[in-house]
Amino acid sequence: MNIIRFVKDWTLPVAMAVGTTAYLTFYFVPQLDAAGDRLLSVFDVLMPVTVFLTLLITFCKVDFHQMRLHRWHVGVLAAQLLLVTLNIAVILWLKGSFTNLPSPFALHQNPFADPILWEAVLTCIIGPSAAAAPVVVGKLGGNISTMTTYTLISAFMSALLIPVVFPLLEQTVHVDFLSALLIILEKVSMVLLLPLALGWLIQHYAEPLRRWVVSQPNLSFYSWAVSLSITTGITVKNIVHSQSAVSLLLMIAATTLVLCVVQFVIGRGIGRWLGERQRAGDGTSGIEVNAGQALFQKNTGLSIWVAYMYLSPVASIGAGCYVLWQNIINSFEIWQYNQKG
């Protein structure tokens, strides 16, 4: 029973450990190469299916009448824009775009002087809020409906920012704004809009199914854990096969950890400042769930795609590390919430 309780309390770290162990097992055991190649195609199909089911289950519980703009939505978007602007300024400075300022490349011993490091950080800021953020918000007693609204707004904002920002950083990248916008919107709409529409249809035309879904409070959470396990395996694969220096990889991992904590703290602060105080299930403890999750929990899958599309595979390591950090924080939040309950 203690093992079962441990798995329930720490589902996300267990999922990440399973994904890591599974990939490393196939990587270090040559006899499993053929099986690994076959499973890769299975995981390519399973990954989007689990994400889709996770969100469909969550959206069956959404109160669509509460889906409107809130003050904290604006605050979190403003914070994201500010962080993106600061990050762009750092990258352009490092690349010598500001001719009137001394380039830090003159300091060859400066470990922070590599633009790739800050490009990796940028992918973890400019990406939209994670599609699974409403799942965590639900586990923490927050408002799933207002979180779902922000997730949609955030996806559109990132779709506008990405085709504008990245051509500025990489002069060799030529991006048609409208084409890039439509591609990104297509990617997020299949993950967000389709399950949201089906959730609305189930609520209105399939009441028995809706009641069953609502009666299974952890169904979406465990479905998300499966997708997280697959994502972790892919992340470990990218790190293992990276050709970059170990020192750069460690620097990216450390910097994205700091970024994860900073965005979490800023988001919680915005929620507290703008009055978005959510009550826990027992009604006794006030926490800024929605705003905190909105700013720090990112759609790392899209961030990785953006890095490969506009920057370099090395920059994608940032988003890969970020998914590990954000889910460690998510796990601690859920554990702390359950302890209070």
Side-chain angles (χ1 to χ4, degrees):
M1 291 298 293
N2 290 335
I3 295 178
I4 295 176
R5 179 58 186 268
F6 176 83
V7 172
K8 287 183 176 180
D9 288 343
W10 299 99
T11 301
L12 302 185
V14 169
M16 290 188 289
V18 169
T20 301
T21 303
Y23 172 74
L24 292 179
T25 300
F26 282 95
Y27 179 76
F28 286 109
V29 180
Q31 292 80 358
L32 297 177
D33 284 346
D37 292 338
R38 288 194 294 269
L39 286 174
L40 185 61
S41 60
V42 174
F43 289 145
D44 287 341
V45 175
L46 186 59
M47 178 66 180
V49 170
T50 55
V51 173
F52 181 88
L53 290 177
T54 298
L55 296 179
L56 176 60
I57 295 166
T58 301
F59 292 155
C60 285
K61 306 173 186 178
V62 166
D63 183 350
F64 287 88
H65 297 290
Q66 293 186 27
M67 290 186 63
R68 54 185 177 82
L69 188 67
H70 289 256
R71 290 192 305 166
W72 70 264
H73 291 163
V74 178
V76 172
L77 286 174
Q80 183 184 16
L81 286 172
L82 177 60
L83 290 172
V84 167
T85 302
L86 292 174
N87 203 145
I88 292 171
V90 170
I91 295 172
L92 293 178
W93 174 45
L94 291 173
K95 292 187 174 184
S97 297
F98 301 146
T99 55
N100 59 326
L101 293 176
S103 173
F105 276 124
L107 303 174
H108 296 294
Q109 302 303 317
N110 186 351
F112 294 99
D114 193 334
I116 293 180
L117 169 65
W118 297 102
E119 289 178 350
V121 169
L122 180 60
T123 63
C124 303
I125 300 174
I126 201 171
S129 181
V135 178
V136 178
V137 163
K139 292 288 290 184
L140 296 174
N143 191 313
I144 296 177
S145 302
T146 58
M147 187 66 239
T148 300
T149 304
Y150 179 81
T151 303
L152 295 171
I153 296 172
S154 174
F156 185 73
M157 175 62 70
S158 293
L160 289 174
L161 282 175
I162 289 169
V164 171
V165 167
F166 286 100
L168 296 176
L169 304 179
E170 297 292 333
Q171 299 301 322
T172 58
V173 175
H174 300 285
V175 181
D176 178 75
F177 177 82
L178 182 58
S179 298
L181 174 65
L182 292 177
I183 290 173
I184 297 170
L185 287 178
E186 178 187 9
K187 285 181 174 293
V188 297
S189 66
M190 291 303 294
V191 176
L192 285 174
L193 296 183
L194 186 56
L196 185 65
L198 289 177
W200 184 88
L201 290 173
I202 290 173
Q203 285 195 32
H204 288 80
Y205 301 105
E207 180 60 23
L209 177 57
R210 188 200 69 83
R211 284 199 303 268
W212 180 82
V213 169
V214 172
S215 69
Q216 310 294 323
N218 292 317
L219 191 60
S220 62
F221 183 66
Y222 291 131
S223 176
W224 177 42
V226 174
S227 66
L228 175 60
S229 183
I230 299 173
T231 301
T232 303
I234 295 172
T235 298
V236 174
K237 175 187 175 184
N238 290 338
I239 293 174
V240 169
H241 289 277
S242 174
Q243 301 299 315
S244 301
V246 174
S247 58
L248 177 59
L249 297 179
L250 291 175
M251 186 63 67
I252 290 175
T255 307
T256 52
L257 172 59
V258 172
L259 173 67
C260 192
V261 174
V262 167
Q263 291 194 120
F264 177 80
V265 172
I266 292 175
R268 285 294 181 100
I270 290 172
R272 183 162 49 250
W273 177 42
L274 295 179
E276 179 63 21
R277 297 185 67 83
Q278 300 293 334
R279 288 289 176 180
D282 57 4
T284 57
S285 60
I287 54 176
E288 296 74 37
V289 175
N290 291 64
Q293 296 303 130
L295 186 59
F296 107 97
Q297 190 173 346
K298 295 295 185 178
N299 186 333
T300 52
L302 182 62
S303 296
I304 290 172
W305 175 82
V306 165
Y308 271 100
M309 187 73 178
Y310 297 124
L311 301 174
S312 70
V314 180
S316 71
I317 299 296
C321 293
Y322 194 92
V323 72
L324 304 180
W325 305 138
Q326 74 178 10
N327 282 293
I328 290 173
I329 293 178
N330 283 336
S331 301
F332 179 76
E333 283 186 284
I334 294 169
W335 174 82
Q336 188 178 49
Y337 177 80
N338 290 337
Q339 292 297 109
K340 291 179 180 180

